[in-house]
Amino acid sequence: MQLRDIQYVLSVSKLGSFTEAASACFVSEPALSQAISKLESQLGTKLFLRGNGRHLTLTDAGKVFVGEGENVLDAMSALKEKMEACIGNRGKHLRLAIAPYYEKCYLSNVLASFQQSHPSVTFSIIEAMSDEGERLLVMGDVDLAFVISPRKDKSIKCKCVFDDDLVLIMPRTRVFMANMPQEDRPCSMDDFRKLSSVPFIVPKQGRRLRESVMAICKSAGFRPICSIETESSSNIYELVKSGCGVGIVPSGIIKGSNCSDIFYYALKTPLSRRQLSVAYNERASSDLALNFALYAVSMR
């Protein structure tokens, strides 16, 4: 039996299904199901009963396991805090997960301000997209995660810290600019629909920005021609600047940039609204982590 197995059982118990628990634990459903089946074999008893439909309920043994499992995880958290105190790190160090783009355009200013009044606090910054940041937070590998549209684990609490709406960018060439509005005007969905036949530079599958791009295009009545997939918003900007296609990026990417080679437009749709949130585990976060989260919120 491993701590991971306990976390799996507690997640299934809380959410009532293997599908939701697998999503919350960032594993595939077959992997989670196999792990619990193996655990039940080791224990010699079933932990769950399948009721009507796909809903699961705990057996008597399962109820005991969940109660004791919660105690085990609490004890592990307490042990970790005591060990950190022994080496002098408790309350002095924070591990933060954040995407590289937001580290540059948002977090650097918050850290500089925070350290003026808390010079003894040190930080480790782990570059991670939102899904990975949430996974690290759930597993206890970071203290806070800065994420877009948190969605995976219901134990995570979030507070908005930064507004960064999406904008349409395109190269200054006639083939892309035909029939588009003047640059200082927002782009309506009618105008946006005119781009249905031009190539789009998009994030890779699984990125939350990719989901936003696809949703905006769908609301305009078309599926974009995804000519190039790339890792980051910065890459999209550079590829659009080179004339490879059009793209949708957070507005912060163009602030402070030389925009002589591109046009950019605000998008007249609620789907372009984007917020960065600080995510924390209310049950496991230290006082310092919670205080830093509140500080980040206060700087919004």
Side-chain angles (χ1 to χ4, degrees):
M1 184 190 307
Q2 300 179 8
L3 286 176
R4 178 193 62 191
D5 298 326
I6 298 175
Q7 291 171 330
Y8 287 171
V9 172
L10 265 57
S11 184
V12 173
S13 172
K14 180 179 179 180
L15 299 175
S17 83
F18 281 99
T19 301
E20 291 188 32
S23 178
C25 294
F26 301 92
V27 296
S28 67
E29 185 175 347
L32 182 138
S33 179
Q34 290 171 12
I36 291 181
S37 294
K38 182 178 179 181
L39 176 63
E40 289 176 327
S41 296
Q42 292 173 348
L43 297 173
T45 184
K46 291 289 185 182
L47 300 177
F48 296 98
L49 291 175
R50 189 178 297 277
N52 294 330
R54 297 180 61 83
H55 187 74
L56 299 167
T57 56
L58 289 167
T59 63
D60 289 341
K63 293 176 182 178
V64 173
F65 187 95
V66 167
E68 294 301 320
E70 289 176 343
N71 292 337
V72 169
L73 294 185
D74 287 342
M76 286 299 298
S77 179
L79 176 60
K80 182 178 178 182
E81 288 189 10
K82 290 179 180 179
M83 292 300 98
E84 289 175 345
C86 287
I87 60 175
N89 285 336
R90 185 181 182 185
K92 295 183 180 180
H93 187 77
L94 286 177
R95 302 161 300 166
L96 311 178
I98 190 168
Y101 160 68
Y102 286 110
E103 179 184 352
K104 178 181 178 181
C105 76
Y106 165 74
L107 185 61
S108 57
N109 293 329
V110 176
L111 290 179
S113 176
F114 186 82
Q115 287 190 311
Q116 288 181 4
S117 55
H118 302 81
S120 64
V121 177
T122 59
F123 295 87
S124 295
I125 299 176
I126 294 90
E127 293 186 348
M129 297 300 183
S130 293
D131 281 340
E132 176 65 7
E134 283 191 46
R135 186 190 71 79
L136 292 171
L137 181 62
V138 170
M139 299 303 292
D141 293 330
V142 296
D143 302 298
L144 298 169
F146 291 85
V147 300
I148 296 293
S149 305
R151 64 189 180 201
K152 290 290 186 181
D153 192 288
K154 294 180 180 179
S155 67
I156 292 176
K157 305 297 181 182
C158 296
K159 294 184 182 295
C160 180
V161 295
F162 185 62
D163 298 291
D164 192 24
D165 290 349
L166 300 177
V167 296
L168 169 68
I169 59 174
M170 57 178 56
R172 292 177 181 268
T173 58
R174 183 174 299 176
V175 64
F176 293 111
M177 293 304 304
N179 301 318
M180 293 301 290
Q182 296 178 357
E183 186 177 10
D184 58 351
R185 292 176 53 193
C187 179
S188 68
M189 286 297 96
D190 287 337
D191 290 326
F192 186 74
R193 195 172 295 115
K194 298 171 185 176
L195 301 175
S196 60
S197 60
V198 304
F200 272 72
I201 317 300
V202 297
K204 288 188 174 181
Q205 291 280 3
R207 296 285 190 260
R208 297 188 188 184
L209 178 57
R210 167 77 171 244
E211 295 172 4
S212 296
V213 172
M214 302 305 286
I216 291 171
C217 291
K218 183 178 180 180
S219 72
F222 70 93
R223 183 177 180 84
I225 300 171
C226 301
S227 62
I228 300 177
E229 294 184 343
T230 186
E231 287 284 351
S232 68
S233 299
S234 298
N235 290 348
I236 294 174
Y237 178 88
E238 292 300 326
L239 288 164
V240 169
K241 184 178 175 181
S242 298
C244 295
V246 303
I248 294 176
V249 297
S251 59
I253 205 81
I254 61 176
K255 294 176 181 177
S257 300
N258 180 2
C259 298
S260 60
D261 295 321
I262 67 164
F263 279 107
Y264 63 91
Y265 301 93
L267 290 164
K268 293 178 67 175
T269 170
L271 295 172
S272 68
R273 293 172 186 162
R274 186 175 172 92
Q275 292 183 325
L276 180 72
S277 296
V278 58
Y280 57 94
N281 189 323
E282 193 171 41
R283 180 179 176 185
S285 295
S286 66
D287 289 342
L288 177 61
L290 295 176
N291 288 336
F292 183 81
L294 291 175
Y295 185 85
V297 172
S298 72
M299 291 191 65
R300 182 181 177 186

